[in-house]
Amino acid sequence: MAETTQLACRCGRTKLAVEGAPIASVECCCSSCREAGQRLHRLEGAPDVLTDYGATPFVMYRKDRVRFIAGAEGLQAFRLKPDASTQRVIAGCCNTPVYLEFKGGHWLSLYGALWPEGTLPPPQMRTMASDLPDGMTLPDYIPNAKTQNFGFFARLLGAWAAMGFRSPKMPKTEEINV
Ligand SMILES: [Zn+2]
Ligand SMILES: [Zn+2]
Protein backbone atom coordinates (compact mmCIF):
# COMPACT_ATOMS: atom_id res chain seq x y z
CA MET A 1 0.00 0.00 0.00
CA ALA A 2 1.18 3.49 -0.82
CA GLU A 3 2.49 5.54 2.04
CA THR A 4 0.27 8.40 3.20
CA THR A 5 1.72 11.71 4.37
CA GLN A 6 -0.44 13.90 6.60
CA LEU A 7 -0.09 17.65 6.21
CA ALA A 8 -1.72 20.54 8.01
CA CYS A 9 -1.91 24.32 8.01
CA ARG A 10 -0.14 26.24 10.73
CA CYS A 11 -3.05 26.20 13.19
CA GLY A 12 -3.93 22.59 12.44
CA ARG A 13 -7.59 23.12 11.44
CA THR A 14 -7.03 22.40 7.76
CA LYS A 15 -5.75 18.88 7.25
CA LEU A 16 -4.89 16.96 4.13
CA ALA A 17 -3.26 13.72 3.17
CA VAL A 18 -1.13 12.94 0.14
CA GLU A 19 -0.65 9.43 -1.11
CA GLY A 20 2.58 7.86 -2.34
CA ALA A 21 5.43 9.70 -4.01
CA PRO A 22 5.05 13.14 -5.60
CA ILE A 23 5.35 13.79 -9.35
CA ALA A 24 8.25 16.05 -8.50
CA SER A 25 9.67 18.23 -5.77
CA VAL A 26 10.81 21.56 -7.22
CA GLU A 27 11.69 25.14 -6.40
CA CYS A 28 10.04 27.71 -8.63
CA CYS A 29 12.04 30.88 -9.17
CA CYS A 30 9.42 32.69 -11.29
CA SER A 31 8.40 36.28 -10.54
CA SER A 32 4.73 35.38 -10.10
CA CYS A 33 5.45 32.87 -7.36
CA ARG A 34 7.72 35.36 -5.66
CA GLU A 35 5.18 38.19 -5.85
CA ALA A 36 2.42 35.88 -4.62
CA GLY A 37 4.62 34.65 -1.77
CA GLN A 38 5.32 38.22 -0.69
CA ARG A 39 1.69 39.31 -0.93
CA LEU A 40 0.36 36.27 0.90
CA HIS A 41 2.97 36.70 3.63
CA ARG A 42 1.35 40.06 4.52
CA LEU A 43 -1.79 38.28 5.70
CA GLU A 44 -2.07 37.91 9.44
CA GLY A 45 -0.15 34.92 10.76
CA ALA A 46 0.87 33.77 7.29
CA PRO A 47 4.16 31.88 7.09
CA ASP A 48 6.93 32.96 4.72
CA VAL A 49 6.99 30.43 1.87
CA LEU A 50 10.07 31.82 0.10
CA THR A 51 13.66 30.61 0.46
CA ASP A 52 16.51 33.08 1.20
CA TYR A 53 17.09 33.39 -2.55
CA GLY A 54 13.44 34.08 -3.37
CA ALA A 55 12.37 30.68 -4.69
CA THR A 56 9.18 28.87 -3.73
CA PRO A 57 9.47 25.17 -2.86
CA PHE A 58 6.57 23.09 -4.20
CA VAL A 59 5.77 19.41 -4.06
CA MET A 60 3.70 18.42 -7.07
CA TYR A 61 1.07 15.75 -6.57
CA ARG A 62 -1.55 14.17 -8.80
CA LYS A 63 -4.94 15.62 -7.83
CA ASP A 64 -6.33 12.15 -7.23
CA ARG A 65 -3.62 11.59 -4.59
CA VAL A 66 -4.50 14.65 -2.51
CA ARG A 67 -7.35 14.36 -0.04
CA PHE A 68 -8.72 17.02 2.29
CA ILE A 69 -9.52 15.59 5.73
CA ALA A 70 -10.63 18.81 7.42
CA GLY A 71 -11.08 22.48 6.61
CA ALA A 72 -11.75 22.21 2.85
CA GLU A 73 -14.74 24.54 3.27
CA GLY A 74 -12.43 27.28 4.57
CA LEU A 75 -10.08 27.32 1.57
CA GLN A 76 -9.71 30.66 -0.22
CA ALA A 77 -8.34 31.28 -3.70
CA PHE A 78 -6.11 34.18 -4.64
CA ARG A 79 -5.17 35.30 -8.16
CA LEU A 80 -2.42 37.79 -8.98
CA LYS A 81 -4.68 39.26 -11.68
CA PRO A 82 -8.44 38.76 -12.05
CA ASP A 83 -8.04 36.87 -15.34
CA ALA A 84 -5.04 34.77 -14.27
CA SER A 85 -5.30 31.08 -15.10
CA THR A 86 -3.34 30.22 -11.98
CA GLN A 87 -4.80 30.38 -8.53
CA ARG A 88 -3.09 30.01 -5.20
CA VAL A 89 -5.21 28.57 -2.45
CA ILE A 90 -4.76 29.31 1.24
CA ALA A 91 -6.30 27.93 4.42
CA GLY A 92 -8.67 30.66 5.62
CA CYS A 93 -8.26 29.65 9.29
CA CYS A 94 -4.66 30.93 9.57
CA ASN A 95 -3.71 32.14 6.05
CA THR A 96 -1.28 29.27 5.38
CA PRO A 97 -0.68 28.90 1.61
CA VAL A 98 -1.73 25.37 0.66
CA TYR A 99 -1.44 24.89 -3.08
CA LEU A 100 -1.11 26.41 -6.52
CA GLU A 101 -3.42 25.21 -9.28
CA PHE A 102 -3.35 25.79 -13.02
CA LYS A 103 -6.79 25.98 -14.58
CA GLY A 104 -7.64 22.50 -15.90
CA GLY A 105 -4.40 21.02 -14.56
CA HIS A 106 -4.26 17.45 -13.34
CA TRP A 107 -1.83 18.16 -10.51
CA LEU A 108 -1.52 20.46 -7.53
CA SER A 109 1.70 22.18 -6.54
CA LEU A 110 1.53 21.98 -2.76
CA TYR A 111 3.52 24.58 -0.86
CA GLY A 112 6.67 23.00 0.55
CA ALA A 113 6.12 25.00 3.74
CA LEU A 114 3.33 22.54 4.65
CA TRP A 115 5.88 19.80 5.32
CA PRO A 116 7.16 19.76 8.88
CA GLU A 117 10.81 20.78 9.18
CA GLY A 118 13.16 18.12 7.84
CA THR A 119 10.46 16.07 6.06
CA LEU A 120 10.16 17.93 2.74
CA PRO A 121 10.93 15.61 -0.20
CA PRO A 122 14.33 16.92 -1.40
CA PRO A 123 13.91 19.23 -4.41
CA GLN A 124 15.04 17.66 -7.68
CA MET A 125 15.25 20.82 -9.75
CA ARG A 126 14.64 24.54 -9.87
CA THR A 127 12.57 26.02 -12.64
CA MET A 128 12.37 29.51 -14.12
CA ALA A 129 15.77 30.49 -12.71
CA SER A 130 16.00 33.17 -15.42
CA ASP A 131 13.33 35.12 -13.52
CA LEU A 132 15.47 35.70 -10.45
CA PRO A 133 16.64 39.27 -9.84
CA ASP A 134 20.14 40.05 -11.15
CA GLY A 135 22.91 39.26 -8.76
CA MET A 136 20.97 36.51 -6.98
CA THR A 137 23.02 33.32 -6.91
CA LEU A 138 21.47 29.92 -6.53
CA PRO A 139 22.92 26.96 -4.66
CA ASP A 140 23.94 24.49 -7.38
CA TYR A 141 23.43 21.09 -5.70
CA ILE A 142 20.40 20.53 -7.95
CA PRO A 143 19.85 21.57 -11.60
CA ASN A 144 18.83 25.20 -12.09
CA ALA A 145 16.74 25.24 -15.26
CA LYS A 146 16.37 28.65 -16.88
CA THR A 147 12.76 27.95 -17.83
CA GLN A 148 10.53 24.90 -17.47
CA ASN A 149 12.73 22.11 -18.79
CA PHE A 150 11.86 18.98 -20.72
CA GLY A 151 12.23 16.60 -17.77
CA PHE A 152 9.68 18.68 -15.88
CA PHE A 153 7.04 18.37 -18.63
CA ALA A 154 7.81 14.68 -19.17
CA ARG A 155 7.03 13.98 -15.51
CA LEU A 156 3.78 15.93 -15.69
CA LEU A 157 2.68 14.18 -18.86
CA GLY A 158 3.58 10.75 -17.47
CA ALA A 159 1.43 11.40 -14.41
CA TRP A 160 -1.50 12.56 -16.53
CA ALA A 161 -1.33 9.45 -18.71
CA ALA A 162 -1.38 7.31 -15.56
CA MET A 163 -4.55 9.15 -14.53
CA GLY A 164 -6.26 8.31 -17.83
CA PHE A 165 -5.98 11.98 -18.87
CA ARG A 166 -8.58 13.09 -16.34
CA SER A 167 -8.42 16.18 -14.12
CA PRO A 168 -10.31 15.62 -10.87
CA LYS A 169 -12.27 18.54 -9.39
CA MET A 170 -10.92 20.24 -6.30
CA PRO A 171 -13.00 21.70 -3.44
CA LYS A 172 -14.91 24.91 -4.23
CA THR A 173 -13.12 27.98 -2.96
CA GLU A 174 -14.08 31.53 -2.14
CA GLU A 175 -12.03 34.18 -4.03
CA ILE A 176 -10.01 36.69 -2.03
CA ASN A 177 -7.90 39.69 -2.87
CA VAL A 178 -4.59 40.32 -1.14
ZN1 LIG B 1 -5.12 26.95 9.87
ZN1 LIG C 1 6.41 30.03 -10.24
Side-chain angles (χ1 to χ4, degrees), residues 9-14 91 93-94:
C9 64
R10 229 177 196 190
C11 80
R13 270 182 285 186
T14 303
C93 43
C94 59

PDB file of all heavy atoms in Angstrom, residues 9-14 91 93-94, ligand 1:
ATOM      1  N   CYS A   9      -2.225  22.894   7.986  1.00  0.00           N
ATOM      2  CA  CYS A   9      -1.905  24.321   8.009  1.00  0.00           C
ATOM      3  C   CYS A   9      -1.243  24.624   9.349  1.00  0.00           C
ATOM      4  O   CYS A   9      -1.164  23.763  10.227  1.00  0.00           O
ATOM      5  CB  CYS A   9      -3.175  25.138   7.842  1.00  0.00           C
ATOM      6  SG  CYS A   9      -4.309  24.898   9.222  1.00  0.00           S
ATOM      7  N   ARG A  10      -0.842  25.861   9.522  1.00  0.00           N
ATOM      8  CA  ARG A  10      -0.139  26.241  10.732  1.00  0.00           C
ATOM      9  C   ARG A  10      -0.955  25.997  12.004  1.00  0.00           C
ATOM     10  O   ARG A  10      -0.441  25.539  13.008  1.00  0.00           O
ATOM     11  CB  ARG A  10       0.201  27.728  10.648  1.00  0.00           C
ATOM     12  CG  ARG A  10       1.623  27.955  10.975  1.00  0.00           C
ATOM     13  CD  ARG A  10       1.957  29.406  10.817  1.00  0.00           C
ATOM     14  NE  ARG A  10       3.406  29.513  10.762  1.00  0.00           N
ATOM     15  CZ  ARG A  10       4.060  30.645  10.811  1.00  0.00           C
ATOM     16  NH1 ARG A  10       3.390  31.783  10.888  1.00  0.00           N
ATOM     17  NH2 ARG A  10       5.360  30.651  10.775  1.00  0.00           N
ATOM     18  N   CYS A  11      -2.240  26.336  11.968  1.00  0.00           N
ATOM     19  CA  CYS A  11      -3.053  26.204  13.190  1.00  0.00           C
ATOM     20  C   CYS A  11      -3.620  24.803  13.348  1.00  0.00           C
ATOM     21  O   CYS A  11      -4.156  24.468  14.392  1.00  0.00           O
ATOM     22  CB  CYS A  11      -4.164  27.255  13.215  1.00  0.00           C
ATOM     23  SG  CYS A  11      -5.600  26.839  12.212  1.00  0.00           S
ATOM     24  N   GLY A  12      -3.506  23.979  12.314  1.00  0.00           N
ATOM     25  CA  GLY A  12      -3.932  22.591  12.437  1.00  0.00           C
ATOM     26  C   GLY A  12      -5.385  22.311  12.083  1.00  0.00           C
ATOM     27  O   GLY A  12      -5.821  21.165  12.126  1.00  0.00           O
ATOM     28  N   ARG A  13      -6.171  23.356  11.735  1.00  0.00           N
ATOM     29  CA  ARG A  13      -7.592  23.117  11.442  1.00  0.00           C
ATOM     30  C   ARG A  13      -7.831  22.597  10.028  1.00  0.00           C
ATOM     31  O   ARG A  13      -8.839  21.961   9.772  1.00  0.00           O
ATOM     32  CB  ARG A  13      -8.408  24.391  11.694  1.00  0.00           C
ATOM     33  CG  ARG A  13      -8.907  24.420  13.149  1.00  0.00           C
ATOM     34  CD  ARG A  13      -9.750  25.634  13.407  1.00  0.00           C
ATOM     35  NE  ARG A  13      -8.902  26.824  13.518  1.00  0.00           N
ATOM     36  CZ  ARG A  13      -9.333  28.022  13.847  1.00  0.00           C
ATOM     37  NH1 ARG A  13     -10.615  28.228  14.068  1.00  0.00           N
ATOM     38  NH2 ARG A  13      -8.509  29.042  13.939  1.00  0.00           N
ATOM     39  N   THR A  14      -6.911  22.923   9.121  1.00  0.00           N
ATOM     40  CA  THR A  14      -7.031  22.399   7.758  1.00  0.00           C
ATOM     41  C   THR A  14      -6.042  21.248   7.615  1.00  0.00           C
ATOM     42  O   THR A  14      -4.843  21.420   7.847  1.00  0.00           O
ATOM     43  CB  THR A  14      -6.718  23.508   6.727  1.00  0.00           C
ATOM     44  OG1 THR A  14      -7.614  24.598   6.965  1.00  0.00           O
ATOM     45  CG2 THR A  14      -6.883  23.009   5.305  1.00  0.00           C
ATOM     46  N   ALA A  91      -5.380  28.376   3.372  1.00  0.00           N
ATOM     47  CA  ALA A  91      -6.304  27.926   4.417  1.00  0.00           C
ATOM     48  C   ALA A  91      -6.798  29.177   5.130  1.00  0.00           C
ATOM     49  O   ALA A  91      -6.004  29.917   5.717  1.00  0.00           O
ATOM     50  CB  ALA A  91      -5.582  26.991   5.379  1.00  0.00           C
ATOM     51  N   CYS A  93      -8.364  29.648   7.819  1.00  0.00           N
ATOM     52  CA  CYS A  93      -8.257  29.653   9.290  1.00  0.00           C
ATOM     53  C   CYS A  93      -7.033  30.432   9.774  1.00  0.00           C
ATOM     54  O   CYS A  93      -7.107  31.151  10.754  1.00  0.00           O
ATOM     55  CB  CYS A  93      -8.231  28.220   9.820  1.00  0.00           C
ATOM     56  SG  CYS A  93      -7.182  27.094   8.883  1.00  0.00           S
ATOM     57  N   CYS A  94      -5.901  30.309   9.085  1.00  0.00           N
ATOM     58  CA  CYS A  94      -4.664  30.927   9.570  1.00  0.00           C
ATOM     59  C   CYS A  94      -3.804  31.474   8.431  1.00  0.00           C
ATOM     60  O   CYS A  94      -2.645  31.808   8.627  1.00  0.00           O
ATOM     61  CB  CYS A  94      -3.867  29.908  10.377  1.00  0.00           C
ATOM     62  SG  CYS A  94      -3.456  28.458   9.403  1.00  0.00           S
TER      63      CYS A  94
HETATM   64 ZN    ZN B   1      -5.116  26.946   9.874  1.00  0.00          ZN
END
